[in-house]
Amino acid sequence: MQKRALYLMLARAKEVQDQGESVVLAYCAQTAGTCSANLSGSRLVCAACRYSSQRTAETTGLPIVALGAESGESQDPEQTRLTYQDASELASGVQSCLVTVLRVMTTDLNRVPRLREIKRRYFNTAARVLRAFKQLLKEQPVKRVEVLNGRFACTKVGIMVAKAFGVTFNTLDFNAYGKPMVFKGHTPHDRLAVQHRIQQNAADADLASSYYASRRDRSFNKFAAAHRQFEPPRSAAGYRKKVTFFLSSLDECESLGPDWHSRFRDNAAVIRQAWETFPDYFFCVRFHPNQANIVGDVTEPYRDLQSKNVQLFYPNDDVDTYRLMEWSDVVVTFASTVAIEACWAGKPVIELGPSYFDHLNVSYTPENTTEFLELLRTDLEPRSAEAAARFANYEMNDFDSLRYLHHADDRLELVGAKRRAGLFAKSAKEFNNLVTRKLQRDSRRLLSSNYRSA
């Protein structure tokens, strides 16, 4: 149903076969499963996905196997029993998916009865696929498992099984420019492994200048294009230091799992402490524009922070992030890419909590609020821009070329295989998109009612 992902997986499988390895394609053969591509649990959607996946896989000439409900539940009960660790991992994968797809925060997921039911059904579907996957590895010796991304429960099961059987795993995904990437032994959201890969790239200053200029280009950056008239706060005159907090899109951090839990999770409380500690500083709080589409009220905890030396910029406000960054004496981020951009721009940066940049030496990374406040008290120097240059090279040029996957006129073309029954898959995808939008509308209405009554 996700054509780009399907092409990526098949192209990678063909290439691995060319390298002399024996490859087996496994596909989900559930009959009424709930997953990221079928939130309603529709049998028709499952049938369309199953049929198109099987027919398309057949065109590769590779052996294929179905991960069905029966294969994993009628075998050795000791092998298929769901452990506490398995259940915890699956629950995390279910939550990651629903937060990402529906843009509903974890606490709000549990406030909507329909979403609680979807969580339960999705967990059961993933558990059946997990059992089937375990049975497959029991029957066929496998030395490596490769899955897409590996964060959602429906693909995370491959990583869980690889670890359970002591075999290696790789994950596949696309970079920011739509090029394929193979993450060997880790997932795309393993921030330490990703930062290690970033550091392997050359620090090309000319390339970095071009990259960061393109980030500001209004013809490419929809957010920059929307805020042409923005002027930084003039009321900051006379204050000793100008500090801007750039919030991240909360659902993105929420969906990344326990390894991304932050000591500074309560962003509003951290900002309040800074404001109360330094009345002679001027503080701006920039909400991420993506937060405008989160289901639920993400601004309420911040509304009583408004003061003569605090300026809040909400998700839909007219704000030019780059002008605000340049205006600031200190940039403070919560997992935001502004950290790397501010470093390149020569600004001192403080990162609060985990991010994809927290081990690149582009910023100051306090362990707790006390350390953070002490940093704010200090006249900080900008970090070296070398790592920011490496990151630019990583974003633009670091990918894993696949000979069976070609880019043509901004489209992906699969070589050596053909998509079959695509109309069935496309129709199923469109139906799931309709279901997703309705769930978001209904959840927004219910949550708004709950907030008002509270």
Side-chain angles (χ1 to χ4, degrees):
M1 289 171 62
Q2 305 290 340
K3 184 169 71 171
R4 293 173 72 251
L6 176 66
Y7 284 6
L8 174 60
M9 296 295 294
L10 295 181
R12 170 65 177 168
K14 291 285 290 181
E15 186 147 310
V16 170
Q17 183 189 47
D18 286 353
Q19 294 168 357
E21 299 192 57
S22 177
V23 177
V24 175
L25 296 174
Y27 70 96
C28 174
Q30 301 299 305
T31 57
T34 298
C35 68
S36 60
N38 187 15
L39 293 177
S40 68
S42 165
R43 289 183 178 274
L44 289 177
V45 170
C46 268
C49 180
R50 187 171 62 247
Y51 180 65
S52 181
S53 297
Q54 182 181 13
R55 289 292 310 281
T56 302
E58 288 171 351
T59 70
T60 66
L62 295 169
I64 58 176
V65 61
L67 299 177
E70 300 82 10
S71 61
E73 294 182 322
S74 60
Q75 305 295 327
D76 182 356
E78 288 300 317
Q79 184 65 44
T80 60
R81 182 174 290 116
L82 201 64
T83 66
Y84 175 82
Q85 181 64 26
D86 285 344
S88 177
E89 290 284 339
L90 285 185
S92 176
V94 168
Q95 177 176 296
S96 176
C97 172
L98 296 184
V99 169
T100 299
V101 172
L102 295 173
R103 305 210 66 193
V104 179
M105 303 302 291
T106 303
T107 53
D108 288 336
L109 282 175
N110 296 321
R111 292 173 178 159
V112 181
R114 180 86 184 277
L115 300 187
R116 290 201 301 268
E117 171 62 18
I118 290 174
K119 284 176 62 177
R120 184 189 65 79
R121 288 192 280 103
Y122 189 5
F123 181 90
N124 290 337
T125 297
R128 290 196 297 270
V129 177
L130 176 65
R131 295 185 184 105
F133 220 136
K134 283 187 174 182
Q135 190 62 34
L136 171 63
L137 264 69
K138 184 181 179 184
E139 295 171 353
Q140 298 189 31
V142 170
K143 71 175 186 180
R144 188 173 71 251
V145 173
E146 301 203 3
V147 299
L148 182 77
N149 193 283
R151 182 159 57 86
F152 294 177
C154 33
T155 58
K156 190 175 185 177
V157 294
I159 297 175
M160 293 169 60
V161 169
K163 291 179 177 179
F165 281 78
V167 302
T168 59
F169 73 87
N170 294 339
T171 55
L172 312 179
D173 215 328
F174 293 96
N175 70 8
Y177 291 85
K179 299 293 184 66
M181 298 192 76
V182 180
F183 298 93
K184 297 183 177 180
H186 64 91
T187 64
H189 54 276
D190 182 333
R191 74 182 202 281
L192 298 183
V194 168
Q195 287 176 87
H196 177 73
R197 180 164 176 167
I198 290 171
Q199 290 169 324
Q200 307 313 303
N201 287 267
D204 186 324
D206 291 337
L207 183 147
S209 294
S210 174
Y211 169 77
Y212 289 109
S214 71
R215 298 274 297 181
R216 299 173 180 231
D217 189 335
R218 298 183 191 278
S219 62
F220 295 101
N221 186 329
K222 65 178 182 179
F223 296 125
H227 307 300
R228 297 176 184 271
Q229 307 301 320
F230 174 75
E231 292 289 342
R234 295 178 180 175
S235 54
Y239 286 91
R240 193 158 67 87
K241 190 177 290 186
K242 302 188 292 291
V243 180
T244 299
F245 291 86
F246 288 90
L247 305 183
S248 57
S249 193
L250 290 176
D251 57 324
E252 294 178 10
C253 296
E254 187 85 16
S255 68
L256 290 173
D259 290 342
W260 282 74
H261 287 176
S262 171
R263 297 182 180 90
F264 305 94
R265 178 180 173 82
D266 190 344
N267 297 175
V270 174
I271 296 170
R272 175 180 293 281
Q273 284 188 266
W275 164 46
E276 292 174 346
T277 304
F278 301 103
D280 56 339
Y281 289 10
F282 192 93
F283 296 95
C284 288
V285 181
R286 167 60 164 138
F287 283 77
H288 195 291
N290 272 339
Q291 290 181 274
N293 297 319
I294 292 179
V295 176
D297 188 354
V298 298
T299 65
E300 191 277 332
Y302 300 85
R303 292 192 180 275
D304 62 351
L305 291 175
Q306 196 78 39
S307 172
K308 64 179 183 179
N309 67 324
V310 178
Q311 174 71 53
L312 302 181
F313 293 107
Y314 294 108
N316 289 317
D317 285 351
D318 182 0
V319 185
D320 185 325
T321 292
Y322 298 104
R323 293 197 66 185
L324 187 59
M325 177 182 74
E326 290 165 351
W327 168 89
S328 306
D329 295 319
V330 179
V331 169
V332 184
T333 67
F334 296 90
S336 172
T337 55
V338 171
I340 201 85
E341 295 180 281
C343 174
W344 177 256
K347 292 290 180 178
V349 181
I350 301 174
E351 288 193 87
L352 301 182
S355 80
Y356 281 115
F357 320 110
D358 59 355
H359 284 70
L360 295 180
N361 197 35
V362 301
S363 62
Y364 298 86
T365 54
E367 289 293 320
N368 50 55
T369 304
T370 301
E371 289 186 15
F372 165 59
L373 296 177
E374 188 57 37
L375 283 172
L376 273 189
R377 195 183 311 276
T378 306
D379 290 329
L380 302 175
E381 292 294 326
R383 297 290 198 186
S384 166
E386 179 180 316
R390 294 184 191 279
F391 175 77
N393 204 355
Y394 168 81
E395 283 279 281
M396 297 182 72
N397 297 319
D398 193 340
F399 63 93
D400 298 284
S401 180
L402 299 178
R403 65 174 61 94
Y404 292 100
L405 194 64
H406 290 174
H407 288 258
D409 299 326
D410 295 326
R411 294 181 304 164
L412 282 181
E413 290 185 354
L414 183 62
V415 180
K418 294 183 178 180
R419 194 183 191 199
R420 299 295 191 191
L423 182 60
F424 288 98
K426 183 179 179 181
S427 299
K429 180 179 178 179
E430 290 175 350
F431 176 77
N432 188 59
N433 289 341
L434 288 173
V435 170
T436 300
R437 288 194 290 270
K438 185 177 188 309
L439 284 169
Q440 289 177 313
R441 287 196 303 270
D442 293 347
S443 299
R444 182 174 283 110
R445 185 169 55 250
L446 179 60
L447 290 171
S448 296
S449 175
N450 289 344
Y451 289 136
R452 285 195 299 269
S453 63

